[in-house]
Amino acid sequence: AGPHEMATAGGVRLRVDRARLLWFEPGLAVCRALGADPWATLASGSLLAAFDPVHAAGAAEALAARGHAVAAIGTAEVGHGVNDTSDRSIPLPSRDEVSRLLGS
């Protein structure tokens, strides 16, 4: 839901490059084992940040220099919602997968 929250708060559409996401591999393994959608799973410990393009590279370098894994995963543009680079919608999850699995 994080990208949707950012898009709504900023009044923009986010275009996300799915291939650039830095997935936590053990988390993906758990999702695969439980049949959970990683796009709809709570991402505690992650940070989404938006920077003016003029400052984005410097911000990423500063975070990386402090030992954080960093990736530029998308851009903001006029519109609303969250889409990938092929203009496919990345839907807002109706429920977090962890809640779904624990509620079963």
Side-chain angles (χ1 to χ4, degrees), residues 30-31 33-37 41 95-104:
V30 169
C31 286
L34 297 175
D37 177 3
T41 303
R95 184 175 183 191
D96 176 71
E97 289 286 78
V98 174
S99 296
R100 180 185 68 80
L101 291 168
L102 293 177
S104 298

Side-chain angles (χ1 to χ4, degrees), residues 12-83:
V12 296
R13 176 168 73 165
L14 295 183
R15 185 170 303 276
V16 175
D17 184 339
R18 292 174 184 260
R20 296 192 51 86
L21 265 73
L22 300 177
W23 293 102
F24 181 60
E25 188 54 44
L28 286 177
V30 169
C31 286
R32 283 190 291 271
L34 297 175
D37 177 3
W39 281 91
T41 303
L42 183 67
S44 296
S46 63
L47 169 69
L48 292 177
F51 297 95
D52 183 300
V54 172
H55 303 292
E61 289 172 15
L63 288 165
R66 288 168 177 79
H68 301 287
V70 179
I73 64 166
T75 57
E77 55 190 42
V78 175
H80 63 278
V82 180
N83 292 69

